[in-house]
Amino acid sequence: MIEPHRKTTEQKDSQAQNQLRVITNQATVIAQDQTTYVGGPHYGKTSFVKAVYDATGQAVDPAKVQVDLTNVNWDQPADYRINLQYTNPGKTVSATAHLHIFALDGRDITIHAGEPIPDKTAFIKRLVDPGHMANATQNVKIKFDDGEPNIMADNSYGLMLTYTVNGVTAGAHQVLHILENMVHVNTANQTTYVNRTSY
């Protein structure tokens, strides 16, 4: 018989110590989108990896992620899909980043003294921004090196065109040339006779 004032304890089942514990593989790769322009920086593979974690959730060196850039043409404006893949024992994870490449090229302009300064669109040789073509030209900014020029003949003025996408700015430095005003002089053809004898 158990005395009322005595404490009792339960015995734990020894089989519970032998149970198999399953831990979820937490391997993860997180992609990061990038933007550049034709003639601008070429991003390395790790630039497209925002973060990567192994099976236990610990951060991993981004260089261990496979990044496929074989479809990218750095001289062709487009939106490119970049495939990322990370393999951890027992699990392979993937993600997709996007690379946006746009283009801005300018041209020099020549006018004559007395003509108005051309609109900024005259200085744009090429502007290609995939997905933003409807209003792309409106977003180009123009700035003369020394402020608004005082148009004088036989002079040149530097200017900068800039266009920004996703915080990335492309620039094109161009020149406005001013020539002397052309004056046209028309002369009439005349015929004279020398030593003409009157009859």
Side-chain angles (χ1 to χ4, degrees):
M1 180 174 196
I2 300 177
E3 297 179 14
H5 65 277
R6 295 184 68 184
K7 294 183 180 179
T8 60
T9 56
E10 294 182 8
Q11 298 246 342
K12 292 184 179 178
D13 187 354
S14 61
Q15 292 182 348
Q17 296 176 1
N18 298 327
Q19 288 181 352
L20 178 63
R21 190 173 172 199
V22 178
I23 299 176
T24 304
N25 190 323
Q26 301 179 55
T28 308
V29 61
I30 302 172
Q32 180 166 279
D33 296 342
Q34 297 292 353
T35 299
T36 190
Y37 50 92
V38 174
H42 292 193
Y43 291 103
K45 293 184 176 183
T46 56
S47 298
F48 297 95
V49 183
K50 186 172 186 177
V52 57
Y53 303 97
D54 64 14
T56 65
Q58 296 296 311
V60 175
D61 182 356
K64 294 186 176 181
V65 178
Q66 294 179 342
V67 181
D68 185 7
L69 296 176
T70 56
N71 68 322
V72 176
N73 180 350
W74 297 97
D75 296 321
Q76 179 63 46
D79 283 314
Y80 297 94
R81 291 171 59 91
I82 311 298
N83 296 318
L84 289 71
Q85 193 173 76
Y86 171 66
T87 301
N88 196 249
K91 188 175 184 180
T92 297
V93 292
S94 60
T96 301
H98 296 88
L99 172 62
H100 184 79
I101 300 179
F102 65 100
L104 172 65
D105 295 315
R107 62 163 60 93
D108 295 341
I109 296 292
T110 300
I111 64 173
H112 293 94
E115 294 180 352
I117 299 174
D119 181 78
K120 65 182 178 183
T121 56
F123 294 96
I124 301 172
K125 182 177 182 181
R126 176 177 72 151
L127 176 59
V128 181
D129 184 9
H132 301 91
M133 287 307 296
N135 61 353
T137 304
Q138 299 172 17
N139 296 327
V140 174
K141 292 181 173 50
I142 181 172
K143 181 179 180 183
F144 283 88
D145 295 349
D146 301 313
E148 195 71 13
N150 180 14
I151 300 300
M152 296 176 57
D154 291 330
N155 210 345
S156 297
Y157 303 90
L159 61 100
M160 179 66 76
L161 297 171
T162 55
Y163 182 75
T164 302
V165 180
N166 300 330
V168 176
T169 300
H173 194 265
Q174 306 306 139
V175 178
L176 172 63
H177 300 284
I178 312 296
L179 301 180
E180 288 282 359
N181 195 3
M182 300 295 292
V183 178
H184 298 282
V185 178
N186 294 322
T187 58
N189 293 329
Q190 296 183 356
T191 304
T192 58
Y193 298 90
V194 178
N195 296 329
R196 181 176 178 183
T197 304
S198 298
Y199 295 95

